Amino acid sequence: MNPNVSSPVAEGTELHIPPRQPGKTRLGVMGGTFDPIHHGHLVAASEVASVFDLDEVVFVPTGQPWQKAGKQVSDAEHRYLMTVVATASNPRFTVSRVDIDREGPTYTIDTLRDLSRLRPDAQLFFITGADVMGEILTWKGTDELWDLAHFVGVTRPGHELTAPRGSSSVSLLNVPAMAISSTDCRARVEEDKPVWYLVPDGVVQYINKYGLYVHDEHTSTTLLAVDRDTENGPRETTRSTL
């Protein structure tokens, strides 16, 4: 590693890179709402792919993101197509409809189970925001999560990284481009400010074509209802707010 370049490893943490399993494809799983997908997502996926020697990164737009219940979220098809546009130029990136096509709220445990079934040849690396890593132990099916995938938390500059205790299946990386957020991109569009160079060019054109994030009668959004487990309280917060 070049000593003049800052390490991507989070300070105070140890980078654990699982060895390659014979005959297995190393598959990164980048989950998120992607409303819209931006360069921070793409840089994070590329950085993790490089550090962990991944053969492929599959982007998985959420169907009904639980943690955004009661909030306006763009139609799943718009979010899926923007992700396809954004990743098309990188042969290592693919996009999956597994969460969009599944009925009901999106939970990470279901995503990983489905991908494990669809890709039995794959060794999974789940990429998420480091701000979610501390919450993972409260998720439903935590023990099974560690068995299904190695978790890689990426963070925005200035965010304190804290890995959950009790698992060696977690690594944390600093990714400067994560300073970009989908929330800010949506706000800029609503305020008629440019988002060029924050999101891929094709996504800018897609947003303009379909009038996303202007919040008028022509905007295609979905108001998500709250979904709770009445016996055990809320299930996991589905994704990081990447």
Side-chain angles (χ1 to χ4, degrees), residues 6-7 19 34 39 52 77 79 115 118 135 142 170 180 196 207 214 218-219 221 235 241:
S6 60
S7 171
F34 303 135
H39 284 304
F52 286 83
E77 288 297 331
R79 295 184 285 106
L115 289 175
L118 294 169
E135 302 175 10
T142 300
V170 175
I180 304 171
W196 293 104
I207 290 171
V214 294
H218 301 296
T219 304
T221 58
R235 293 178 75 188
T241 52

Side-chain angles (χ1 to χ4, degrees), residues 4-28:
N4 296 319
V5 178
S6 60
S7 171
V9 183
E11 184 177 355
T13 66
E14 181 177 350
L15 182 63
H16 172 62
I17 301 179
R20 181 176 287 274
Q21 298 177 7
K24 292 278 189 177
T25 298
R26 291 170 75 89
L27 177 65

Side-chain angles (χ1 to χ4, degrees), residues 56-131:
E56 177 187 343
V57 177
V58 57
F59 288 70
V60 188
T62 57
Q64 298 180 26
W66 181 91
Q67 83 278 19
K68 296 183 184 293
K71 298 181 180 180
Q72 294 287 347
V73 178
S74 297
D75 183 84
E77 288 297 331
H78 281 313
R79 295 184 285 106
Y80 169 77
L81 290 173
M82 285 191 287
T83 306
V84 170
V85 169
T87 58
S89 63
N90 190 327
R92 192 182 292 188
F93 291 169
T94 58
V95 185
S96 172
R97 296 182 58 92
V98 65
D99 283 350
I100 291 175
D101 291 340
R102 187 192 313 108
E103 294 184 359
T106 298
Y107 298 112
T108 303
I109 188 70
D110 297 325
T111 305
L112 294 177
R113 285 171 179 165
D114 285 350
L115 289 175
S116 294
R117 175 178 54 82
L118 294 169
R119 299 288 299 271
D121 64 325
Q123 180 181 5
L124 302 183
F125 294 77
F126 187 80
I127 306 167
T128 187
D131 49 345

Side-chain angles (χ1 to χ4, degrees), residues 30-44 59-62 65 67-68 71-74 78-80 82-83 86 129 131 156 176-191 193-200 203 207 212-215 239-242:
M30 186 79 172
T33 309
F34 303 135
D35 194 20
I37 189 169
H38 54 68
H39 284 304
H41 297 126
L42 302 174
V43 171
F59 288 70
V60 188
T62 57
Q67 83 278 19
K68 296 183 184 293
K71 298 181 180 180
Q72 294 287 347
V73 178
S74 297
H78 281 313
R79 295 184 285 106
Y80 169 77
M82 285 191 287
T83 306
D131 49 345
R156 301 177 180 90
M178 288 309 295
I180 304 171
S181 76
S182 294
T183 300
D184 291 341
C185 291
R186 292 194 301 272
R188 290 183 66 85
V189 173
E190 185 175 11
E191 296 167 5
K193 294 180 180 179
V195 289
W196 293 104
Y197 313 115
L198 298 176
V199 305
V203 174
I207 290 171
L212 302 183
Y213 314 127
V214 294
H215 294 149
R239 299 287 191 206
S240 160
T241 52
L242 283 177

